[in-house]
Amino acid sequence: MKDLLTLKELSVDEIQSILDLALDCEKGKYDNFLKDEIIANCFFEPSTRTQYSFNTAELRLGMKPLSFNPAGSSLNKGESFYDTIKTFESFGISGIVIRDVHDRYYEDIRHLDFHILNAGDGAGDHPSQSLLDLLTIRKEYGKFEGLKIAIVGDISHSRVAHTNIEVMERLGMECFVSGPEEYREEGYNFIDFDKAVEEMDIIMLLRVQHERHKEKMKTSLEDYNRDYGLNMDRVNKMKDHAIIMHPAPFNRGVEINDDVVECDKSRIFTQITNGVLVRMAMLLVTVGGVKC
Ligand code: CP
């Protein structure tokens, strides 16, 4: 596979194979498999988890990563996004991991002669996040078919929601959304939050993505927390087997209360651990040419 840009371009079988490969990575099967391959991590938008998780995955595979610092680059002399990426291609490196604020930024660069892995494009796609969410769910339940998930919060600005709903429905999951009216989006099944808490197998919370808003949020933080915040009273109404997920970063006291972050039902840090494994798998099927 040359690039991994959006899960919409992968079949269900290919997605399951990448998850299988991630489980092989967990057993150490591919440690140092891509020894000395050079890869660049170019994040034009802030990131902690995705950026350093890719970096960890690359080191586990024995790769040599380059870290791009936009603030100290020639972007500040007016160099364009395209010319920056074309420069990295010209170094003769194996591939590049990119996050950018623009939806589908990759359309203008996908012809370039190296592997491109999308680490998030605007409000469009976040394939590595979705794969780590899927791995977390598969490890928890051993299946996708028939599971019910509610994704709660700022749906309209969320690449996590958009990517997950598309792929989860293809995998046979029943997807619902909840959250303030100002962040709802046509075409999704809306569910009342308190009903979702009682009925879902998975509650996935989202941060309000202020950095993508053109207008100030109408809902106060207090009202948000009262109506859509997950607190222990609500957690206690969840099904015994149900779990809580969040792509993070999270806002304590807004969409999730302090004591919920690391409660028994929370898989938030398990998701982060699984992130290294799926990113290793993504690098293997692209740069490594492993068949999926
Ligand atoms: N979940 C996620 O994408 O986190 P970062 O923005 O920190 O990478």
Side-chain angles (χ1 to χ4, degrees):
M1 186 183 299
K2 181 185 172 288
D3 305 321
L4 209 165
L5 304 172
T6 165
L7 297 188
K8 292 186 198 95
E9 294 178 353
L10 299 186
S11 68
V12 161
D13 286 347
E14 286 172 321
I15 288 163
Q16 293 278 22
S17 293
I18 291 174
L19 300 182
D20 292 340
L21 202 52
L23 294 174
D24 285 340
C25 291
E26 190 169 35
K27 294 176 195 141
K29 189 170 163 190
Y30 288 97
D31 284 0
N32 293 313
F33 192 82
L34 298 180
K35 195 164 165 9
D36 295 337
E37 299 272 5
I38 300 175
I39 183 120
N41 297 311
C42 291
F43 283 68
F44 297 87
E45 183 194 274
S47 165
T48 298
R49 273 146 294 275
T50 313
Q51 180 167 202
Y52 295 102
S53 165
F54 261 116
N55 209 158
T56 306
E58 291 153 5
L59 293 171
R60 287 269 306 271
L61 291 166
M63 301 178 87
K64 291 182 171 164
L66 300 176
S67 277
F68 174 69
N69 170 20
S73 77
S74 289
L75 285 172
N76 290 321
K77 300 175 195 162
E79 190 164 44
S80 68
F81 173 81
Y82 178 82
D83 290 341
T84 302
I85 305 303
K86 180 72 187 166
T87 299
F88 276 95
E89 182 214 33
S90 307
F91 294 153
I93 63 177
S94 304
I96 191 164
V97 177
I98 303 175
R99 172 177 286 189
D100 190 60
V101 294
H102 298 100
D103 288 20
R104 303 181 71 80
Y105 68 79
Y106 47 78
E107 296 297 2
D108 297 335
I109 56 169
R110 62 189 305 173
H111 64 282
L112 295 178
D113 188 22
F114 61 170
H115 298 281
I116 303 173
L117 290 88
N118 182 13
D121 60 289
D125 275 281
H126 197 344
S128 66
Q129 178 67 45
S130 187
L131 287 167
L132 76 86
D133 292 339
L134 294 175
L135 184 63
T136 305
I137 293 167
R138 205 174 100 171
K139 281 176 155 185
E140 188 76 31
Y141 292 106
K143 62 168 190 177
F144 297 110
E145 190 74 37
L147 291 176
K148 290 184 177 182
I149 184 169
I151 304 181
V152 184
D154 182 2
I155 303 298
S156 56
H157 299 96
S158 172
R159 56 190 171 217
V160 175
H162 296 143
T163 309
N164 269 339
I165 293 169
E166 191 280 327
V167 68
M168 286 175 180
E169 287 185 342
R170 275 198 285 146
L171 287 161
M173 291 177 65
E174 223 178 311
C175 300
F176 299 86
V177 296
S178 193
E181 200 167 346
E182 58 186 307
Y183 302 134
R184 291 182 200 162
E185 199 171 317
E186 292 292 310
Y188 295 131
N189 299 322
F190 180 80
I191 187 168
D192 172 77
F193 183 46
D194 284 297
K195 186 171 153 68
V197 161
E198 292 178 15
E199 294 183 3
M200 296 293 114
D201 303 300
I202 302 145
I203 295 287
M204 178 178 285
L205 304 168
L206 300 176
R207 178 177 68 89
V208 176
Q209 325 240 347
H210 297 285
E211 71 277 15
R212 293 191 198 133
H213 294 180
K214 292 199 176 75
E215 289 169 22
K216 200 169 173 295
M217 181 162 90
K218 295 188 192 92
T219 316
S220 71
L221 297 182
E222 293 73 24
D223 287 355
Y224 191 107
N225 183 254
R226 183 196 61 217
D227 296 340
Y228 297 104
L230 195 58
N231 53 38
M232 281 314 288
D233 284 344
R234 285 184 166 127
V235 171
N236 290 332
K237 290 180 185 155
M238 290 173 69
K239 290 181 178 177
D240 286 346
H241 68 262
I243 59 169
I244 300 158
M245 297 175 70
H246 193 312
F250 39 80
N251 291 306
R252 292 175 188 256
V254 183
E255 76 273 12
I256 188 164
N257 282 20
D258 243 344
D259 48 358
V260 176
V261 171
E262 294 186 57
C263 75
D264 287 349
K265 289 189 172 299
S266 170
R267 297 295 179 271
I268 295 173
F269 293 96
T270 310
Q271 287 172 263
I272 295 170
T273 303
N274 288 334
V276 175
L277 305 176
V278 298
R279 289 174 178 122
M280 287 175 79
M282 289 171 72
L283 289 159
L284 286 167
V285 299
T286 51
V287 178
V290 173
K291 288 270 171 275
C292 72

